[in-house]
Amino acid sequence: MKSFENINFGVDGDSITAGEQWSWHVYKNLGLRSHSNVAVGSAVWYKRTFEVAGQTVTTQDYSAPDFAGISDGWEPTDDPAEMQKRANNCAVVHIQRFIAEVKSGNFPEPDIFAFAMGTNDLEEFIGDPEKALSGKALAGNDSIDLFTEAGAARWCIQTILESFPECRVFVLTPLQTATPEHNRKVEKTIECLRRICRGLSVQVIDAYSGSGICEKFEVIGGRGKYLKDGLHPDVEGQALEGAFASKEIRNNYF
C-alpha cells in the first residue's frame, strides 16, 4: 500500500468536525503529514443575512478590511456584532480563510481536502443544484447563488480544486441524528450535495448510511450508542466516523 506520510490534509465543517474529532482520527489512522482544520461549530454552507436590532448584517468576505470575525454562537441574541460574526460562519468564508492561511504559510497546500457540512443547513436555503452547476467559470456567474447550499457548495468545492489543482476533494454527508424529522431534512441536503459532487467529479463519502451511526440507537437530547446528545458524536462516535472516512480515503485516494 502506498504511504500517506507526505500527504497534507485540509478540512472544513461544523461542530461535528471542529477541533480533533473524526478528521483527527483520519490524520492519525492514515499517518498523514498535516491536519489543517478550519471547521467552526454552528456553521452552514451558505452566506446569510440577518435582521437584528433594527440593523441588517450579511456575510462578509474574509478579506474585508472590517471583517468582524467568526462566531460559533447559536443561542438567541440581539447583538448586531455577534450576529455579524454568525453570518460569517459559513463554508464560503471558511474556504477564503483556508486559502489565506496557505498563502501566508500557516497551512501547507492540501493534497486531500474534505468537507463535512450540511447538518445545520435549513431546508429553505438548499437551492437548485442544476442551476448552481450552470456554466464553467465561478467569476461573474449569476447562476451561482452563494446564499444557497447548492451554490455555496459548488463555489467552495470548485474554488479548492482551482486553487490547488493536484488536490483530491472528498465530501462527507452529514450523519444520522436521533431525530427522524431532522434526518429527513438531512436527506434532502445529501441529495443536493450528491448532485453538486457528481457535476464536479468529486467523491461523496456516505457517512449517513455507512458510518455505523444510526437513528434507531440514539436518544433525542441525551446519550445514545454513539451520539452524546442526539446530534454530536461522543468519543466512540468520533472514532467510528473517523475509521469509516479513513477507509474510504485510503481505498480511493491513490
Side-chain angles (χ1 to χ4, degrees):
M1 184 181 74
K2 294 185 178 180
S3 172
F4 283 87
E5 64 183 5
N6 294 317
I7 301 298
N8 294 309
F9 186 35
V11 187
D12 188 23
D14 48 38
S15 60
I16 294 172
T17 301
E20 297 181 358
Q21 299 192 73
W22 70 265
S23 63
W24 182 257
H25 286 280
V26 173
Y27 163 65
K28 300 299 286 186
N29 291 345
L30 297 182
L32 295 160
R33 174 187 282 177
S34 64
H35 175 244
S36 303
N37 188 354
V38 291
V40 180
S42 303
V44 297
W45 276 101
Y46 46 84
K47 291 184 172 186
R48 292 177 286 185
T49 297
F50 297 128
E51 301 291 335
V52 53
Q55 299 184 37
T56 300
V57 297
T58 195
T59 304
Q60 300 171 296
D61 286 330
Y62 185 73
S63 60
D66 61 343
F67 185 71
I70 301 173
S71 172
D72 64 357
W74 55 272
E75 294 181 340
T77 180
D78 291 324
D79 180 4
E82 169 63 16
M83 292 305 293
Q84 178 64 75
K85 294 177 182 179
R86 293 185 190 185
N88 293 341
N89 189 16
C90 65
V92 173
V93 176
H94 295 183
I95 295 311
Q96 292 172 343
R97 179 201 162 195
F98 184 90
I99 293 170
E101 297 283 12
V102 172
K103 288 181 177 178
S104 69
N106 291 329
F107 291 169
E109 289 197 12
D111 301 291
I112 299 172
F113 196 95
F115 291 93
M117 305 284 292
T119 295
N120 302 312
D121 291 20
L122 299 178
E123 185 175 341
E124 56 263 40
F125 296 115
I126 288 177
D128 181 355
E130 300 302 330
K131 180 180 179 182
L133 286 167
S134 299
K136 297 183 182 297
L138 296 177
N141 189 336
D142 293 336
S143 295
I144 304 174
D145 184 355
L146 298 184
F147 288 81
T148 67
E149 179 179 85
R154 186 220 165 146
W155 187 91
C156 290
I157 295 167
Q158 188 167 338
T159 295
I160 289 291
L161 292 170
E162 290 180 353
S163 300
F164 312 108
E166 301 303 315
C167 182
R168 282 284 302 281
V169 171
F170 295 84
V171 176
L172 276 72
T173 67
L175 298 168
Q176 290 187 39
T177 72
T179 308
E181 294 78 12
H182 185 267
N183 292 340
R184 285 193 284 272
K185 186 275 297 183
V186 165
E187 288 170 359
K188 294 178 182 178
T189 280
I190 292 172
E191 183 179 348
C192 171
L193 294 178
R194 282 191 180 281
R195 181 65 189 99
I196 296 296
C197 290
R198 189 164 67 248
L200 295 175
S201 192
V202 301
Q203 185 167 342
V204 174
I205 296 177
D206 188 3
Y208 185 87
S209 60
S211 68
I213 296 175
C214 173
E215 172 257 320
K216 304 305 181 190
F217 304 104
E218 303 303 334
V219 178
I220 297 173
R223 183 173 294 276
K225 186 175 182 180
Y226 291 115
L227 304 179
K228 60 187 176 183
D229 55 6
L231 177 64
H232 299 92
D234 58 16
V235 173
E236 292 81 7
Q238 294 164 16
L240 186 68
E241 184 180 10
F244 176 66
S246 298
K247 182 260 296 183
E248 291 295 303
I249 292 171
R250 182 186 65 239
N251 291 349
N252 290 284
Y253 176 68
F254 288 112

